[in-house]
Each structure stands twice: as structure tokens, then as C-alpha cells.
Amino acid sequence: MANGGGSSPASASAFLGVSRSLSGRPWRQRPAEPGVIRAHMQALGLDEPLARALASRGVRADQGQDFLAPTLKALFPDPSSFTDMDAAATAIIDALQAGSSIHVFADYDVDGASSAALLVRWFRQMGAELPIYVPDRITEGYGPSAKAFDTLKASGADLVVTVDCGAAANEAVAHAAAIGLKVVVIDHHMMREQPPACLAVVNPNRPGCNSGQGNLAAAGVVFVLLAALNREARGRGLFEAREQPDIRQWLDLAAMGAICDVTGLTGFNRALTSLGLNVMSSWSNPGLKALLAAAGAEEGPAKVNHAGFILGPRINAGGRIGKSDLGARLLSTDDPAEAAELARELDSLNIARREVEKAVIDQAIRRVEATGAHDDGSAVVVVEGEDWHPGVVGIVAGRLRERWRKPVIVIGVDAVNGVGKGSGRSQPGMNLGKAVQAAWEEGVLLAGGGHAMAAGLTVKADRIGELRDFLNGRMAGEQAAAEALDAVEVDALIEPRAATRALFEQFDALAPFGPGNPEPLFAMEHVQVREPVAMNGGHVRCRLTGPDGASVKAIAWRCADLPTGQALLSGGGGLSVVGRLKADDWNGRRGVQFEIEDVADPRMAQP
């Protein structure tokens, strides 16, 4: 629904007069300082639309070059700026020199697998093999446990390095100390004020850490740890007889963690991701190369799409519904035959995961929308179902968050033991991890934690209603601000004839895209929808035609049953649309496709 152009403050800032689109969001032009726009045009030789897009992403006049061509030299932080980083490097090199048995304990997602593989590859170049322990999602749950540490101790471990987990595992780490097992924690998740009592807890989100690198994924923190390990080893003369590991060769693993954990792609993290995609483009990691082949994708320049939508879901499939260590083994192996076998297994698991995921999504949508819980003004949606697979609840929560534009927690309840395992995804401006941590501290949860945009939890089935009330009460104060943030921010107004490969490639200079650096959004007004087709999965394909008859292929994802999809399927003209330009290289062509994000109909009255 679009505003016809009134004089209210809301409509004055509404782009194309859209104060409420068919998805319920206002449209705005992404704000940018005129002086910064001019500075980027002059210093970098950019056209005004691209300079505006750069300025609107918070890139200052003196930061343009580092943003467009980031380097580690310019942006790499001092490892010592991370609390306990020097202590971690000291403890690990001490253990290496002493010949101690060092094991890595990793989370079961892409970030955990990438983090583990980074450590394994560094140790391999130092002449040592590092065993990997990844807990089973179903039987062990997230993060370290007393039982897991007992198992590691019994296997002969002297030192355990936890990656992408452990920062909130105070009790489990205390147990490790009690049985004589040394622990170093490398993490990025939210944690308590009191860190676990161990040799070192390196976490840029640890209270009091002054690194300023809180947007790093665990793989990014581990990458900095590798620099600290090189520095410590160099200081002890360990590279007099062997070559120092060149950590830059593993930037692809750091990029995998950053992209798949949906971290903010700004500053040093952007450099890791951008340079990591360059390294990935050689497809020299046997696991990534094999997984790309198993997915039926072609080698070529690596993009965020490769990590986030082709490789990442397959690596995650092992931890979701298969063997939890498959991803870490794939990313750390140097054996092409083993990589191919692991890749085939992960690809098969991913197919099964999709089927399980679709069934849970369908059930959850019916359950919530039948009660109106998605549209009752509440801050959070909490939905549960018996025997929903714990491995897919996070993906489902993400899909439902996109659909309802509010935080969603999806819980799979084990009917036998009466315990639910849940995962949540949040909206910008609403700190779900903090709220879940508070629920745990209040005794509502058996376990829980996470970060601002994602969280995991364990809850007794008979307390889910209490959890729903607690989270809604806790997060209600953030709701209004988050809804104000939930606007469609447009970079430029174009016509269908201007939606060209040249325009796509011009704005692709801003890549890689992600949180903190959103993909450019283009608006078109008064377009006609032609040849609309509903596709499997609820997608809508069509052509968008301008007044001059020029057109561009378009697609809108998972919206056929929503107002946006219905408007497209009804065809006709007069619509305004916002979307992204995507490369369309099918069968060797170098074209573009318009990926529709939102639709507004100026003929519909403002409610």
C-alpha cells in the first residue's frame, strides 16, 4: 500500500511516496552526506550514484580506498588488543613445544568447522596433527560439556582449544580443570561477566575486551590467533629450522565463517571476507573444491553466494541431520579422494535436510497464522512442535523471521523426555541473544545463549509458555525502534532499460555484501508485470516492463501466498518495485535478473 503524497512527516521522507508497501514497510532513500559523496567522487573517480551508495554505508571520505580495495596491512588488528590473546598463544606454543596432546573442540556449524580447519592446517604445517572433536547436536547439544571433556581426557588430551563455543560454558570448563584438563577458549558469542576459569578466553565480545572487533566470526578470531601463534613461535626461534606458516593461504576459511555466520562486513572483517573470496576463487582447498563439484556448480570467481548458499548449507547439513564432524573434516583434509567422499555425503544430507526443513516450515506457518500470533503486536513469535528436528529449527526461524519481520524462535520438542531444543533469529535492533541469556539467568531455560541476531536454547516443554511471556516482556521495549529500522532503503531509482550488466558490475565494486554493507537496492516505478508464473517453492517469476517497452527478467522468492506475490501474479501495470540486480550467466550469457525485494501499489489507499 502506498501513500499518495500527503504532507505528513512520514510521507515527506517516503521514497516514491511509499510509507507502507505490500509487505508493510516504508521505503526510504538511503541517507548520505553530500560532502562525503563529493569527496568519494573526487578522490576515487566514482559516478554520483556509486559515490552516494558508498557514503550511505558509513564509509568516510578517508576510508573509501580501504573499503573498495581492503588490505590486511591496513586493517589487521594488533592481536594483543584482544583480551587473553597473548595468554592463549603462549599456552598453545608451550603445549606444542612440550609435545602435549592438543585437541580442538568445535561447534558443528560452518563457523566452527572453518575455525577448526584453520587450527588443524596451522598445526599441520608445524608438523603436528590436531584431532577434532565436534559434539553431536542431538545427543550432546551445543558447546562443551562435562561428558565431552571426560571423553577427551580419556583419549589422552592435555590441552583442548574450543572454537566457536565455550565462552559461556563456565560449569563444563570448571569440570575440565577438576580432571586436570587444560582449556583455551576462542569464541565470539555473548558471555557472562565472569569468564570460564581456564588458561585463556579470547572473545572480542567479552566484557572489557578493547579490540573493537566484535563483528568477527569465530573463524576471524582464530585467524588473528594464527598471527599471534606465528609471532609467539617466531619469538622462540621455532622458524629457524622450518618455514613460517603463511596464514594468508587460509583466508578462504575465514571468509566462510564470516559469511555463513552472517557477521557485519565492515572494517577488518570485510577485508578478511573480500580477500578470502579472492583466495577461494583458486579452489585450492580440496574440500571446498569437492563440495562445489558435488553441488553441480562451476568453478570461477568466488562470491558471497558460493559460501552462503552453495557451500555453507551443505557443510551445515552434517551438523544438522548427519555426522557432526563431517564439515570440519572436509575443510581440513588435503586428500582429494577423502574430500570427494565427504562432499558427496554432505550433498546427500543437504537434500534430506531440505525435505525436513520444508515440512517444519509448513507446519509452523499453519500453526502460528491460524492463531494470529504473528500479527498480534507481540515482540517475538515462539512456536513449538513435537519431534521437529533440532537441526533445522534455526533455518526455519530465519525463514519465518523474513516472512513476519519480527524475531522468531522455533522449538522442537522431544515428546519422550519433555524437553525442547530451540533456535531463534532476530530483527536488526532487537538483541535476541541477550534476552535468551536473561531467560537462562532467570531459570526459565535449561540452557541458552547466542548473539544479537541469533540464539539457541533448551527448555522444558511445560515452560515454553513462560518463555514466550518472558521474551515478549523483555524485548517489548526494543520493538518500536526495530520496526522503525525495518524500512526498505533504496540506493537509486532506475528504469527497466537501465537494469543492465554494466550497472550491476559498477555497483558490484561495493561487494562483498552482508550485514553492515547491504547489497544495493534499486527502485522502479510504474512498471508493468508481464508473464507472471508461480513456481515450486512459492517463488514468482515475471518480466518487469517500463513505459518505453524495455523489460528485465525478475523473480521474487517465497512470496506467492503473500500480498507481494499476489500483486505480481495478478499482472497489470502501475506497480512500484524494489530489488537487487543479480548476474544471469546461464549458458554463457552475461545478463542480469532483477530479484524483487518488495512491491508497492500506489492505487491502494494508506490504511
Side-chain angles (χ1 to χ4, degrees), residues 13 42 57 62 70 73 77 96 165 169 205 223 251 259 285 313 357 439-440 450 453 481 493 507 592 606:
S13 61
Q42 293 166 1
R57 281 154 179 77
D62 61 341
K73 182 178 181 181
L96 179 65
C165 58
N205 290 305
F223 193 81
L251 276 162
I259 293 166
N285 181 293
E357 174 193 328
W440 177 82
M453 297 301 290
L493 177 66
F507 275 81
V592 291
Q606 173 74 32

PDB file of all heavy atoms in Angstrom, residues 13 42 57 62 70 73 77 96 165 169 205 223 251 259 285 313 357 439-440 450 453 481 493 507 592 606:
ATOM      1  N   SER A  13       9.398  11.833   3.897  1.00  0.00           N
ATOM      2  CA  SER A  13      10.641  11.105   3.711  1.00  0.00           C
ATOM      3  C   SER A  13      10.431   9.786   2.981  1.00  0.00           C
ATOM      4  O   SER A  13      11.382   9.052   2.754  1.00  0.00           O
ATOM      5  CB  SER A  13      11.292  10.826   5.078  1.00  0.00           C
ATOM      6  OG  SER A  13      10.419  10.034   5.876  1.00  0.00           O
ATOM      7  N   GLN A  42      35.494  12.730  -6.121  1.00  0.00           N
ATOM      8  CA  GLN A  42      36.751  13.375  -6.485  1.00  0.00           C
ATOM      9  C   GLN A  42      37.954  12.470  -6.230  1.00  0.00           C
ATOM     10  O   GLN A  42      38.828  12.333  -7.080  1.00  0.00           O
ATOM     11  CB  GLN A  42      36.911  14.676  -5.701  1.00  0.00           C
ATOM     12  CG  GLN A  42      35.880  15.741  -6.088  1.00  0.00           C
ATOM     13  CD  GLN A  42      35.806  16.884  -5.089  1.00  0.00           C
ATOM     14  OE1 GLN A  42      36.540  16.908  -4.100  1.00  0.00           O
ATOM     15  NE2 GLN A  42      34.909  17.835  -5.344  1.00  0.00           N
ATOM     16  N   ARG A  57      26.788   3.935   3.233  1.00  0.00           N
ATOM     17  CA  ARG A  57      27.172   2.776   4.038  1.00  0.00           C
ATOM     18  C   ARG A  57      28.139   3.151   5.150  1.00  0.00           C
ATOM     19  O   ARG A  57      28.793   2.293   5.731  1.00  0.00           O
ATOM     20  CB  ARG A  57      27.757   1.688   3.120  1.00  0.00           C
ATOM     21  CG  ARG A  57      26.652   0.914   2.408  1.00  0.00           C
ATOM     22  CD  ARG A  57      27.080   0.301   1.085  1.00  0.00           C
ATOM     23  NE  ARG A  57      25.949  -0.426   0.496  1.00  0.00           N
ATOM     24  CZ  ARG A  57      24.914   0.143  -0.125  1.00  0.00           C
ATOM     25  NH1 ARG A  57      24.879   1.462  -0.245  1.00  0.00           N
ATOM     26  NH2 ARG A  57      23.930  -0.580  -0.618  1.00  0.00           N
ATOM     27  N   ASP A  62      37.920   9.491   4.072  1.00  0.00           N
ATOM     28  CA  ASP A  62      39.280   8.942   4.118  1.00  0.00           C
ATOM     29  C   ASP A  62      39.311   7.417   4.134  1.00  0.00           C
ATOM     30  O   ASP A  62      40.383   6.817   4.245  1.00  0.00           O
ATOM     31  CB  ASP A  62      40.006   9.474   5.351  1.00  0.00           C
ATOM     32  CG  ASP A  62      39.326   9.075   6.656  1.00  0.00           C
ATOM     33  OD1 ASP A  62      38.119   8.713   6.624  1.00  0.00           O
ATOM     34  OD2 ASP A  62      39.973   9.108   7.719  1.00  0.00           O
ATOM     35  N   PRO A  70      40.314  -3.444   0.163  1.00  0.00           N
ATOM     36  CA  PRO A  70      40.831  -3.665   1.521  1.00  0.00           C
ATOM     37  C   PRO A  70      42.103  -4.518   1.525  1.00  0.00           C
ATOM     38  O   PRO A  70      42.273  -5.404   0.681  1.00  0.00           O
ATOM     39  CB  PRO A  70      39.669  -4.395   2.207  1.00  0.00           C
ATOM     40  CG  PRO A  70      38.911  -5.058   1.102  1.00  0.00           C
ATOM     41  CD  PRO A  70      39.039  -4.137  -0.072  1.00  0.00           C
ATOM     42  N   LYS A  73      47.248  -5.392   5.524  1.00  0.00           N
ATOM     43  CA  LYS A  73      48.253  -4.468   6.065  1.00  0.00           C
ATOM     44  C   LYS A  73      47.594  -3.251   6.699  1.00  0.00           C
ATOM     45  O   LYS A  73      47.998  -2.789   7.775  1.00  0.00           O
ATOM     46  CB  LYS A  73      49.210  -4.048   4.960  1.00  0.00           C
ATOM     47  CG  LYS A  73      50.320  -3.113   5.427  1.00  0.00           C
ATOM     48  CD  LYS A  73      51.272  -2.779   4.286  1.00  0.00           C
ATOM     49  CE  LYS A  73      52.393  -1.859   4.773  1.00  0.00           C
ATOM     50  NZ  LYS A  73      53.331  -1.508   3.667  1.00  0.00           N
ATOM     51  N   PRO A  77      44.174  -6.030  12.972  1.00  0.00           N
ATOM     52  CA  PRO A  77      44.317  -5.511  14.337  1.00  0.00           C
ATOM     53  C   PRO A  77      45.532  -6.112  15.036  1.00  0.00           C
ATOM     54  O   PRO A  77      46.013  -7.184  14.667  1.00  0.00           O
ATOM     55  CB  PRO A  77      43.022  -5.990  15.015  1.00  0.00           C
ATOM     56  CG  PRO A  77      42.681  -7.265  14.298  1.00  0.00           C
ATOM     57  CD  PRO A  77      43.105  -7.058  12.866  1.00  0.00           C
ATOM     58  N   LEU A  96      52.692 -27.120  22.411  1.00  0.00           N
ATOM     59  CA  LEU A  96      53.301 -27.649  21.187  1.00  0.00           C
ATOM     60  C   LEU A  96      54.760 -28.025  21.434  1.00  0.00           C
ATOM     61  O   LEU A  96      55.212 -29.113  21.044  1.00  0.00           O
ATOM     62  CB  LEU A  96      53.199 -26.595  20.084  1.00  0.00           C
ATOM     63  CG  LEU A  96      53.811 -26.966  18.728  1.00  0.00           C
ATOM     64  CD1 LEU A  96      53.062 -28.127  18.088  1.00  0.00           C
ATOM     65  CD2 LEU A  96      53.806 -25.753  17.792  1.00  0.00           C
ATOM     66  N   CYS A 165      32.701 -21.741  20.443  1.00  0.00           N
ATOM     67  CA  CYS A 165      31.898 -22.176  21.590  1.00  0.00           C
ATOM     68  C   CYS A 165      32.785 -22.113  22.830  1.00  0.00           C
ATOM     69  O   CYS A 165      33.990 -21.932  22.725  1.00  0.00           O
ATOM     70  CB  CYS A 165      31.369 -23.608  21.398  1.00  0.00           C
ATOM     71  SG  CYS A 165      32.657 -24.843  21.146  1.00  0.00           S
ATOM     72  N   ALA A 169      30.480 -21.567  28.805  1.00  0.00           N
ATOM     73  CA  ALA A 169      30.463 -22.923  29.384  1.00  0.00           C
ATOM     74  C   ALA A 169      31.237 -22.963  30.693  1.00  0.00           C
ATOM     75  O   ALA A 169      32.133 -23.790  30.886  1.00  0.00           O
ATOM     76  CB  ALA A 169      31.023 -23.920  28.376  1.00  0.00           C
ATOM     77  N   ASN A 205      33.801 -10.134  22.030  1.00  0.00           N
ATOM     78  CA  ASN A 205      32.583  -9.697  22.706  1.00  0.00           C
ATOM     79  C   ASN A 205      32.618  -9.983  24.204  1.00  0.00           C
ATOM     80  O   ASN A 205      31.592  -9.885  24.878  1.00  0.00           O
ATOM     81  CB  ASN A 205      31.357 -10.367  22.062  1.00  0.00           C
ATOM     82  CG  ASN A 205      31.111  -9.823  20.665  1.00  0.00           C
ATOM     83  OD1 ASN A 205      30.979  -8.630  20.472  1.00  0.00           O
ATOM     84  ND2 ASN A 205      31.090 -10.707  19.674  1.00  0.00           N
ATOM     85  N   PHE A 223      41.728 -16.680  13.003  1.00  0.00           N
ATOM     86  CA  PHE A 223      42.716 -16.180  12.049  1.00  0.00           C
ATOM     87  C   PHE A 223      43.684 -15.218  12.741  1.00  0.00           C
ATOM     88  O   PHE A 223      44.898 -15.269  12.502  1.00  0.00           O
ATOM     89  CB  PHE A 223      42.017 -15.498  10.877  1.00  0.00           C
ATOM     90  CG  PHE A 223      42.919 -15.220   9.713  1.00  0.00           C
ATOM     91  CD1 PHE A 223      43.213 -16.215   8.799  1.00  0.00           C
ATOM     92  CD2 PHE A 223      43.485 -13.964   9.533  1.00  0.00           C
ATOM     93  CE1 PHE A 223      44.057 -15.968   7.716  1.00  0.00           C
ATOM     94  CE2 PHE A 223      44.331 -13.711   8.465  1.00  0.00           C
ATOM     95  CZ  PHE A 223      44.619 -14.712   7.554  1.00  0.00           C
ATOM     96  N   LEU A 251      42.782 -17.724   4.056  1.00  0.00           N
ATOM     97  CA  LEU A 251      41.769 -16.674   4.165  1.00  0.00           C
ATOM     98  C   LEU A 251      40.401 -17.148   3.691  1.00  0.00           C
ATOM     99  O   LEU A 251      39.368 -16.624   4.132  1.00  0.00           O
ATOM    100  CB  LEU A 251      42.199 -15.453   3.343  1.00  0.00           C
ATOM    101  CG  LEU A 251      43.149 -14.469   4.030  1.00  0.00           C
ATOM    102  CD1 LEU A 251      43.815 -13.586   2.995  1.00  0.00           C
ATOM    103  CD2 LEU A 251      42.401 -13.631   5.060  1.00  0.00           C
ATOM    104  N   ILE A 259      30.903 -15.141   6.393  1.00  0.00           N
ATOM    105  CA  ILE A 259      29.696 -15.072   5.575  1.00  0.00           C
ATOM    106  C   ILE A 259      28.590 -15.950   6.150  1.00  0.00           C
ATOM    107  O   ILE A 259      27.436 -15.514   6.293  1.00  0.00           O
ATOM    108  CB  ILE A 259      30.013 -15.477   4.129  1.00  0.00           C
ATOM    109  CG1 ILE A 259      30.935 -14.445   3.477  1.00  0.00           C
ATOM    110  CG2 ILE A 259      28.726 -15.631   3.315  1.00  0.00           C
ATOM    111  CD1 ILE A 259      31.567 -14.914   2.187  1.00  0.00           C
ATOM    112  N   ASN A 285      41.482 -25.322  -1.846  1.00  0.00           N
ATOM    113  CA  ASN A 285      41.108 -26.148  -0.706  1.00  0.00           C
ATOM    114  C   ASN A 285      40.369 -27.381  -1.245  1.00  0.00           C
ATOM    115  O   ASN A 285      39.313 -27.245  -1.871  1.00  0.00           O
ATOM    116  CB  ASN A 285      40.205 -25.359   0.245  1.00  0.00           C
ATOM    117  CG  ASN A 285      39.799 -26.168   1.468  1.00  0.00           C
ATOM    118  OD1 ASN A 285      39.072 -27.147   1.368  1.00  0.00           O
ATOM    119  ND2 ASN A 285      40.264 -25.756   2.640  1.00  0.00           N
ATOM    120  N   PRO A 313      25.321 -24.284   3.300  1.00  0.00           N
ATOM    121  CA  PRO A 313      24.239 -25.190   3.694  1.00  0.00           C
ATOM    122  C   PRO A 313      24.643 -26.663   3.666  1.00  0.00           C
ATOM    123  O   PRO A 313      24.166 -27.460   4.480  1.00  0.00           O
ATOM    124  CB  PRO A 313      23.151 -24.897   2.661  1.00  0.00           C
ATOM    125  CG  PRO A 313      23.411 -23.494   2.225  1.00  0.00           C
ATOM    126  CD  PRO A 313      24.904 -23.363   2.227  1.00  0.00           C
ATOM    127  N   GLU A 357      13.229 -29.605   6.473  1.00  0.00           N
ATOM    128  CA  GLU A 357      13.007 -28.175   6.696  1.00  0.00           C
ATOM    129  C   GLU A 357      11.658 -27.721   6.145  1.00  0.00           C
ATOM    130  O   GLU A 357      10.915 -26.997   6.809  1.00  0.00           O
ATOM    131  CB  GLU A 357      14.138 -27.398   6.018  1.00  0.00           C
ATOM    132  CG  GLU A 357      13.983 -25.895   6.028  1.00  0.00           C
ATOM    133  CD  GLU A 357      14.955 -25.225   5.082  1.00  0.00           C
ATOM    134  OE1 GLU A 357      16.069 -25.743   4.891  1.00  0.00           O
ATOM    135  OE2 GLU A 357      14.590 -24.188   4.511  1.00  0.00           O
ATOM    136  N   ALA A 439      16.843 -15.021  30.043  1.00  0.00           N
ATOM    137  CA  ALA A 439      15.886 -16.082  30.370  1.00  0.00           C
ATOM    138  C   ALA A 439      16.588 -17.238  31.069  1.00  0.00           C
ATOM    139  O   ALA A 439      16.038 -17.842  32.004  1.00  0.00           O
ATOM    140  CB  ALA A 439      15.182 -16.565  29.101  1.00  0.00           C
ATOM    141  N   TRP A 440      17.788 -17.543  30.626  1.00  0.00           N
ATOM    142  CA  TRP A 440      18.552 -18.601  31.299  1.00  0.00           C
ATOM    143  C   TRP A 440      18.922 -18.172  32.726  1.00  0.00           C
ATOM    144  O   TRP A 440      18.792 -18.947  33.681  1.00  0.00           O
ATOM    145  CB  TRP A 440      19.824 -18.915  30.503  1.00  0.00           C
ATOM    146  CG  TRP A 440      20.669 -19.940  31.192  1.00  0.00           C
ATOM    147  CD1 TRP A 440      20.518 -21.300  31.164  1.00  0.00           C
ATOM    148  CD2 TRP A 440      21.777 -19.680  32.064  1.00  0.00           C
ATOM    149  NE1 TRP A 440      21.458 -21.897  31.962  1.00  0.00           N
ATOM    150  CE2 TRP A 440      22.254 -20.928  32.526  1.00  0.00           C
ATOM    151  CE3 TRP A 440      22.419 -18.520  32.496  1.00  0.00           C
ATOM    152  CZ2 TRP A 440      23.342 -21.041  33.385  1.00  0.00           C
ATOM    153  CZ3 TRP A 440      23.491 -18.631  33.352  1.00  0.00           C
ATOM    154  CH2 TRP A 440      23.943 -19.873  33.792  1.00  0.00           C
ATOM    155  N   GLY A 450      23.756 -16.857  22.835  1.00  0.00           N
ATOM    156  CA  GLY A 450      23.859 -16.510  21.423  1.00  0.00           C
ATOM    157  C   GLY A 450      24.397 -15.110  21.255  1.00  0.00           C
ATOM    158  O   GLY A 450      25.115 -14.602  22.108  1.00  0.00           O
ATOM    159  N   MET A 453      21.699 -11.369  16.771  1.00  0.00           N
ATOM    160  CA  MET A 453      20.810 -11.784  15.690  1.00  0.00           C
ATOM    161  C   MET A 453      20.430 -13.258  15.719  1.00  0.00           C
ATOM    162  O   MET A 453      19.579 -13.691  14.928  1.00  0.00           O
ATOM    163  CB  MET A 453      21.465 -11.464  14.338  1.00  0.00           C
ATOM    164  CG  MET A 453      21.699  -9.990  14.106  1.00  0.00           C
ATOM    165  SD  MET A 453      20.173  -9.024  14.164  1.00  0.00           S
ATOM    166  CE  MET A 453      19.391  -9.585  12.662  1.00  0.00           C
ATOM    167  N   ALA A 481      11.640   0.664  18.110  1.00  0.00           N
ATOM    168  CA  ALA A 481      12.850   1.105  17.415  1.00  0.00           C
ATOM    169  C   ALA A 481      13.199   0.154  16.276  1.00  0.00           C
ATOM    170  O   ALA A 481      13.631   0.579  15.193  1.00  0.00           O
ATOM    171  CB  ALA A 481      14.014   1.200  18.396  1.00  0.00           C
ATOM    172  N   LEU A 493      16.987   5.098  -8.093  1.00  0.00           N
ATOM    173  CA  LEU A 493      15.803   4.876  -8.918  1.00  0.00           C
ATOM    174  C   LEU A 493      16.259   4.651 -10.354  1.00  0.00           C
ATOM    175  O   LEU A 493      17.020   5.443 -10.902  1.00  0.00           O
ATOM    176  CB  LEU A 493      14.875   6.087  -8.844  1.00  0.00           C
ATOM    177  CG  LEU A 493      13.610   6.060  -9.712  1.00  0.00           C
ATOM    178  CD1 LEU A 493      12.663   4.963  -9.250  1.00  0.00           C
ATOM    179  CD2 LEU A 493      12.910   7.420  -9.669  1.00  0.00           C
ATOM    180  N   PHE A 507      28.134  -1.403  -9.515  1.00  0.00           N
ATOM    181  CA  PHE A 507      27.825  -1.454  -8.086  1.00  0.00           C
ATOM    182  C   PHE A 507      28.437  -2.667  -7.398  1.00  0.00           C
ATOM    183  O   PHE A 507      28.558  -2.690  -6.170  1.00  0.00           O
ATOM    184  CB  PHE A 507      26.299  -1.424  -7.879  1.00  0.00           C
ATOM    185  CG  PHE A 507      25.735  -0.032  -7.871  1.00  0.00           C
ATOM    186  CD1 PHE A 507      25.474   0.631  -9.058  1.00  0.00           C
ATOM    187  CD2 PHE A 507      25.486   0.627  -6.679  1.00  0.00           C
ATOM    188  CE1 PHE A 507      24.973   1.922  -9.061  1.00  0.00           C
ATOM    189  CE2 PHE A 507      24.991   1.923  -6.663  1.00  0.00           C
ATOM    190  CZ  PHE A 507      24.729   2.576  -7.859  1.00  0.00           C
ATOM    191  N   VAL A 592      21.481  -9.936 -16.669  1.00  0.00           N
ATOM    192  CA  VAL A 592      21.087  -9.681 -15.287  1.00  0.00           C
ATOM    193  C   VAL A 592      19.639 -10.125 -15.082  1.00  0.00           C
ATOM    194  O   VAL A 592      18.869 -10.265 -16.033  1.00  0.00           O
ATOM    195  CB  VAL A 592      21.201  -8.183 -14.909  1.00  0.00           C
ATOM    196  CG1 VAL A 592      22.643  -7.743 -14.849  1.00  0.00           C
ATOM    197  CG2 VAL A 592      20.400  -7.316 -15.858  1.00  0.00           C
ATOM    198  N   GLN A 606      -3.705   4.223   1.769  1.00  0.00           N
ATOM    199  CA  GLN A 606      -2.967   4.096   3.015  1.00  0.00           C
ATOM    200  C   GLN A 606      -3.939   3.740   4.138  1.00  0.00           C
ATOM    201  O   GLN A 606      -4.942   4.418   4.316  1.00  0.00           O
ATOM    202  CB  GLN A 606      -2.276   5.420   3.355  1.00  0.00           C
ATOM    203  CG  GLN A 606      -1.616   5.456   4.720  1.00  0.00           C
ATOM    204  CD  GLN A 606      -0.334   4.638   4.726  1.00  0.00           C
ATOM    205  OE1 GLN A 606       0.347   4.549   3.722  1.00  0.00           O
ATOM    206  NE2 GLN A 606      -0.014   4.043   5.844  1.00  0.00           N
TER     207      GLN A 606
END
